Amino acid sequence: MIKFSERQLRVPKLARPVYLVTAGQSKFDRAMPDKRTEELCIDAFTQAAELINKTPAELKRYIHTCYYGHFADHFGDQLLGEAVIHDRLGLDPLGNAGIKTGGATGGSTLWEGMKAVASGYSDCVLAMGWERMDEVPTDEGNFLISCAADKDWESPLGHVYTGYYAVMAQKYWKVFGKEQPSFRRTLAEIAVKHRGYARFNPYAQGPMKITVEDVLNSPVVAYPLRALDCCLMSVGAACAILCDEKTAVELTKGTKNKPLRIWVAAGSHTLRPADRLHMEIPLLPNETAKQYKDLGKRFPGGERYPGFTGFLGARMAAWYGYRMAGIVDPMEDLDVIELHDAFTISDVQSYEDVGLRPYGEGRDYVESGDCYHKNPHTGKPGRLPSNLSGGLIGCLLAVGATGIMQTFESATHFWNRWAEIHGDPKIWKKFNRQKPADWTNLQVKGAKRALAISHAGVGSHVTATILMDPDHLLKEDA
Amino acid sequence: MSMFGQVYVKNNQYKIKGNFHHMTPNQPIRNADDGWKLMGVTNPRDMTYMHSYGGEAIFFESLGKGKLMATRCDNRKCDMKGTIYQPFRIHCMSCLGKNTVIDMTKLAKKSAKIHTFMVCERSGAFSILDKPIKFINIEFDGVPTILMSYLSIGDPKIGMKVIPIFRTTNPTYTILDLSWVPVGTKETNLPEGFSF
């Protein structure tokens, strides 16, 4: 059993506040043979500059350190890709480092950037992430992704990452879903929702107007997961600019971007789910030990934690992050959320790991309609809308960019710029994409607090990025 | 004449023979929508890696001999003392002391059951298992971890009792030399090369 020492559970404290001032992203697509990676990074950087009325050259003058998130060297067949991008961005001889934590790479890049500003090392940091997954065919891409599993013990078993989530889906369905067909439909509803929201996002790779039946009838990849339960494989880039307070105010003066406080916390767990040992559930501020005492009775098989049904890494990222930022009840304290929906099942697992619902009851977040922009049952705004970008299922999985995209997408709600950034016909035209006739503005009105979860492997690394309007903090000394 | 790369170790150094890479010329990638202008090039590459199992070698060697090896922490001062690790861990995850290698074949034959499973219809490139691949995760009495492997016969169910089988004829020396079948399966029905 894993036991934590008090020192390990110390709540992280930033030496000074850190602000997100702007961000940007490229188009995301399965393949972009017309662009080199540096062109995508420059697209993202240029957008970040334009959102604060600066030219790229003007914004560059503020940057002191750079962190580059790029997961898979073997996809792009380029070691030290960060040096290439850094040079092409014209940022030499500034210090830079590459960050690599699988699917959590984007979140980890922000984590490092935040620490550089919080420590006082830098006043302004560029966090840029990208992935180039179009240099091999899809089955070889699946092979390369499966190299992120244990190469001797797991990867030879099919060379497909979906399999490692499918065993979780099967277990979760048995234990918490009680093998009910309704639970399988709830999973499918997530895929419908995320691909549907992607239709309103010109940057998104996988928009689709589909039904639950479409998902349930799509080809099996790894039973019980089907093709439409699975995330995309993408090319693209995203970036964010993090600053101290003085620089943040200066950079955003006279612009629509209000500097947003940012915290990033991280957790981890074994690369192989096989190695997970039973342990007590680390409790979030809105939970008590009592509520889980009879978990195994209510859900036979659910007494084993985290087993194959939870992600300890995500739980610990939230555990640290909520305490850093003063979040007590995420359903009450947050206004918008982006989760790492690599597969429909992992989306549900994450609801529980980050405390949107207690363990075993994640499905209710979907079935209640709370997760929607507009609750389909009440017609009123959803209580805590999730993955309005389309998430990994509808928008992208350009690995190193993903966590940064989630943060950018969340920030657009705070800045009240969602419609401008997603609805401008010029952007649709530029990306050669058709803006749907029923395009809908998914702006979350009055958003003040957000969470983005960036997640690697089968939960080997997870980060929780929290954004807050500085006039609506939950904790004075956060 | 081309020959697959072969390796042995002498004085703790790799000794190699044969071809470890095969040269294939690159080809241009052109745009059919724009006058066949150049867009890029292919970069073919075929390489053979040399990978060490290190302290886990005994596990993979033993599979071909019909044995399932595990490890156990026997450090009296460790809070994980007595913990059996399967997957095999060379060092204890708590004290980082060297674990004791044990044979858990009997325990596996007696107590293995399916914790969870999935049926894989679409594998990645280079997968050599026949589809559908039935991944199973196996729990054992007294072992806190859950091993990932595959079922060779029958349809998996959570809670199903299974027993290990081993590729003892022409082993591959990989995790694929270990598979599982439902309890009660006759030896004559096992896949070619496998035995109990």
Side-chain angles (χ1 to χ4, degrees), chain B residues 88-134:
Chain B
F88 189 105
R89 289 180 87 101
I90 303 162
H91 293 271
C92 171
M93 66 184 292
S94 183
C95 66
L96 303 186
K98 195 92 180 261
N99 283 330
T100 305
V101 177
I102 61 168
D103 180 347
M104 65 166 282
T105 317
K106 279 185 188 169
L107 175 66
K109 287 184 175 175
K110 202 169 120 188
S111 71
K113 65 179 180 186
I114 295 178
H115 180 76
T116 186
F117 69 93
M118 70 92 187
V119 181
C120 178
E121 301 278 0
R122 293 182 177 194
S123 60
F126 309 114
S127 175
I128 59 172
L129 293 175
D130 291 335
K131 290 188 279 287
I133 306 166
K134 295 158 186 172

Side-chain angles (χ1 to χ4, degrees), chain A residues 26-37:
Chain A
S26 71
K27 174 187 179 181
F28 299 109
D29 214 336
R30 174 68 190 91
M32 281 196 256
D34 59 334
K35 293 219 173 194
R36 282 176 64 94
T37 307

Side-chain angles (χ1 to χ4, degrees), chain A residues 1-3 33-35 77 135 138-143 150-154 156-160 162-164 166-172 174 219-224 227 270 272-278 301 304 307-308, chain B residues 39 43 45 49 51-53 56 59-60 69 79-80 83 85-89 93 114-129 133 135-137 139 143-150 158 174-176 178:
Chain A
M1 178 183 280
I2 298 177
K3 287 179 187 159
D34 59 334
K35 293 219 173 194
D77 200 16
E135 298 212 352
T138 300
D139 65 337
E140 288 180 25
N142 276 322
F143 164 76
D150 187 301
K151 68 185 280 182
D152 292 326
W153 292 78
E154 296 176 321
L157 298 164
H159 294 294
V160 59
T162 313
Y164 314 134
V167 294
M168 294 191 151
Q170 191 67 47
K171 190 69 177 176
Y172 191 102
K174 167 90 173 176
V220 170
V221 177
Y223 185 82
T270 60
R272 296 183 298 217
D275 293 308
R276 294 176 170 192
L277 299 178
H278 176 70
R304 186 177 181 124
F308 276 49
Chain B
M39 300 289 282
N43 281 324
R45 189 165 310 146
Y49 282 70
H51 172 54
S52 167
Y53 280 141
E56 288 184 0
F59 173 87
F60 293 99
M69 309 306 279
D79 56 1
M80 301 290 280
T83 301
Y85 292 111
Q86 183 64 277
F88 189 105
R89 289 180 87 101
M93 66 184 292
I114 295 178
H115 180 76
T116 186
F117 69 93
M118 70 92 187
V119 181
C120 178
E121 301 278 0
R122 293 182 177 194
S123 60
F126 309 114
S127 175
I128 59 172
L129 293 175
I133 306 166
F135 276 48
I136 56 172
N137 300 80
E139 54 185 66
V143 178
T145 52
I146 296 173
L147 180 67
M148 178 181 280
S149 190
Y150 66 104
I158 290 175
T174 71
I175 196 69
L176 301 182
L178 172 67

Side-chain angles (χ1 to χ4, degrees), chain A residues 338-418:
Chain A
E338 288 277 338
L339 296 171
H340 192 94
D341 54 329
F343 301 93
T344 50
I345 185 62
S346 56
D347 207 45
V348 175
Q349 291 170 283
S350 299
Y351 306 154
E352 300 170 2
D353 296 320
V354 304
L356 307 184
R357 290 295 188 275
Y359 279 111
E361 299 170 35
R363 60 189 289 180
D364 183 63
Y365 176 57
V366 178
E367 291 166 2
S368 65
D370 283 354
C371 67
Y372 284 89
H373 185 260
K374 185 163 88 173
N375 187 320
H377 308 305
T378 65
K380 292 180 179 171
R383 202 169 150 213
L384 178 57
S386 74
N387 292 29
L388 299 177
S389 66
L392 281 68
I393 287 174
C395 181
L396 84 161
L397 180 51
V399 184
T402 306
I404 300 172
M405 174 285 287
Q406 295 172 316
T407 304
F408 173 45
E409 287 284 341
S410 301
T412 61
H413 296 283
F414 289 73
W415 297 326
N416 201 27
R417 301 184 80 168
W418 198 93

